[in-house]
Amino acid sequence: MSDDLTAEILRNALCVAAEEASIVVVRSAYSTFIVEGADAAAAILDVRGRLIAHSLSTALIQCASLRSALPYVLKAYPAETMRDGDVFVLNDVYQGGIHANDLLVFRPVFVEGAPAYFTGTLIHVADLSGLSAGGMASDATDIFLEGLQLPPIRIATADGLADDIVRVLAANSRTPDKLVGDVRALVAGVNVAARRLSEIVESHTPAGLARGIEDYLGHTERRMREGLAALPPGTHRGVYTLDDGNTVRVAVTADGEGGVLVDFEGTDEQVPLPINSGFSQTHGGVMYAMRCFVDPSLPMNEGCFAPVDVRMPRGTLVHCTPPYPGGGRFGTVAAAEEAIFAAFSGVAASGILQAFSISGVRRPWLHMSFDLGGTGAREDHDGADATGALFGGGRNIIPQVEPIEARLPVRVEEVSLIPGSGGEGRHRGGRGTRTVIRMLEEARVDTRGDRLMRPPPGSAGGAPGRAGGYYRERTDGTREPLGTKATRQPLAEGEALVVETSGGGGYGGVVEEAE
C-alpha cells in the first residue's frame, strides 16, 4: 500500500471517529433540542492540547472550545495522575467553556501506559440552574446567575459515573432526568471515540499514528496557508454593532504568504449583561470566518489554527473575565464574524439565530430553539433562506414539529418563510422565518435575540433585511411585542409565542440593476 493511500486512510479514520462520537451524543441525548437540533460537537486531541480531528456535521462555532478547555483539565489533573477510564467535565467560560449549560467532557486515551490522546464531546444540556430555564436569563448581571459553575472535575472512572457528582448536577436542574440522560450521552460519545482511537493505534502502531498525525496536521496547515495567501495583503478593518449599541472592532492583517493576524483591539469593554463572549467562542468564530476564505473541504484540526494569530484583549466583549456573564455570547461572536467579513468582502450581513426557551409553570418541562434568519446576499448570489451561516455551517438546526408536539404540551401552528423579509438589491438577502407555538398549558418564555433593533445591513447599496421580533399572541388573535431579551414572561394556556427572524441584507442597489 502506498504512503499516500495509508495517510488518506488514517486521516479519514480520525475524522470518522470524531464524527461518530458526535452522532452517538446526538442520538443518545434526552433533550429534544439536542436530538432534533444537533447542538453538539466532538473532537480528538493529543496530550499537548492540539486538535487532531473535529466533527463537522454539528455546530462549527464550537470548533475551538474543546481545544481551548483541555489545557485547564490537564492543569487540574496532570496526565500522570489520570487512570484509564477517567472522564472529566467542565463548563467554566473562563477556562475554555462556553456557558453554564454547555458541558465539555474529556476522556484520556492511553498508549503504552500513559495518556497520549483525548476524546472530547460537548452539548447544550437541558437545564443547569440559573435565573431562567435552559440558561436563557438575559437579565443575568454576573456568571453566578447563569447557572451552576463547574471547574474541571472527574465525573466518571472505569467503574462508571461518579454518583455523588451526578446527584449534585441533577439537584441543580429543573429537568433532572433529561440532564442525567444528556450527561450519559456525553460520556458515551467520548467512550466510543476512545475505542475507535485505540483501534487506530493498534492498526497503525503508536509510532505510525504519531508520525501520520504530524504529516496530517502539516498537510492541513499548508493547504490553509495556501488559501489565506490569496487574501489581499495589508491591514483590513471591520466593525459591527449589536442591538444594545456595544461594538466589536477588528483589524485583520494578512502577510500575503498565508499568515493572518486577527486583532480585536478597540472592541468595547465587557458589560454586566450576558452578551459577552468567552475567549474560546470568539476564537471559534474567528476560525469559522477565516475558513470561509479557503477550501471548504479542508478538515478542521490544528493545521487550521496554526496560521491564524488571534488577539482578544481581556475584559472586552470578546474575552470576558470574572465575574462577567457570557451566556448570550452568540450575538457578539456573530458580530466578530461579520466584522471579519466586512474587512475582506462585500457580503451583506445576515440574520442570526434567535434563541428562546419555553418552560412549564405547574410542572417541569422545557422547550428550547434557535430559530435562524436569512443570510446576507453577496456580489454574485442571493442570500440563503433560514440558514445558520454564522453558526451551523449552512445547516438549519430548527427542531422538527412532530417530536416537539409528542413530548411537550405545545402545538406548533406555523413554521414558514416570511415573504419579502430579505433585503432588496441586485441580489436579495435570504428570508427569515415565522414560528407560532401555542401553549396547551401555562408557561413562561425567555427570549434572547439580536439584529432585531438594528436589522442586518445591506452592502454596496443593498437594503437591510426586515427586522424580526418576539410576540405574545392572545387568545383573541391580538399580538403584542415581547422584548428582544425578555425574561420569564407569562404565557397563559391558549396563548402563543410568535418568533420572527430577521432577513439578510441585500447586495447592490436596485438602480444599478436597471442600468
Side-chain angles (χ1 to χ4, degrees), residues 82-103:
M82 294 180 177
R83 297 181 179 179
D84 196 7
D86 282 351
V87 179
F88 305 91
V89 64
L90 68 80
N91 70 357
D92 188 341
V93 68
Y94 314 122
Q95 298 190 61
I98 300 168
H99 69 140
N101 281 71
D102 278 306
L103 297 185

Side-chain angles (χ1 to χ4, degrees), residues 163-223:
D163 290 337
D164 51 352
I165 299 297
V166 173
R167 285 197 297 271
V168 170
L169 296 178
N172 281 274
S173 177
R174 296 171 176 84
T175 54
D177 292 343
K178 286 189 175 183
L179 172 67
V180 174
D182 290 345
V183 169
R184 291 184 180 277
L186 285 162
V187 174
V190 294
N191 287 342
V192 165
R195 286 198 298 272
R196 295 291 176 263
L197 189 55
S198 295
E199 293 168 359
I200 295 171
V201 171
E202 183 177 352
S203 61
H204 289 268
T205 75
L209 176 58
R211 185 170 56 252
I213 286 173
E214 294 301 327
D215 292 343
Y216 170 43
L217 299 184
H219 176 73
T220 302
E221 181 178 348
R222 288 191 295 274
R223 289 181 59 194

Side-chain angles (χ1 to χ4, degrees), residues 349-352 354 373-374 417-424 429-434 450-458 463-469 471 479 498-506:
S350 299
I352 60 172
Q354 285 180 225
L417 295 173
I418 302 175
S421 55
E424 294 295 325
R431 290 170 290 183
T433 63
R434 178 182 295 111
D450 208 274
R451 306 191 185 186
L452 305 177
M453 300 170 65
R454 298 172 182 260
R466 173 188 181 274
Y471 306 90
R479 290 184 180 180
V498 181
V499 181
E500 295 183 349
T501 64
S502 299

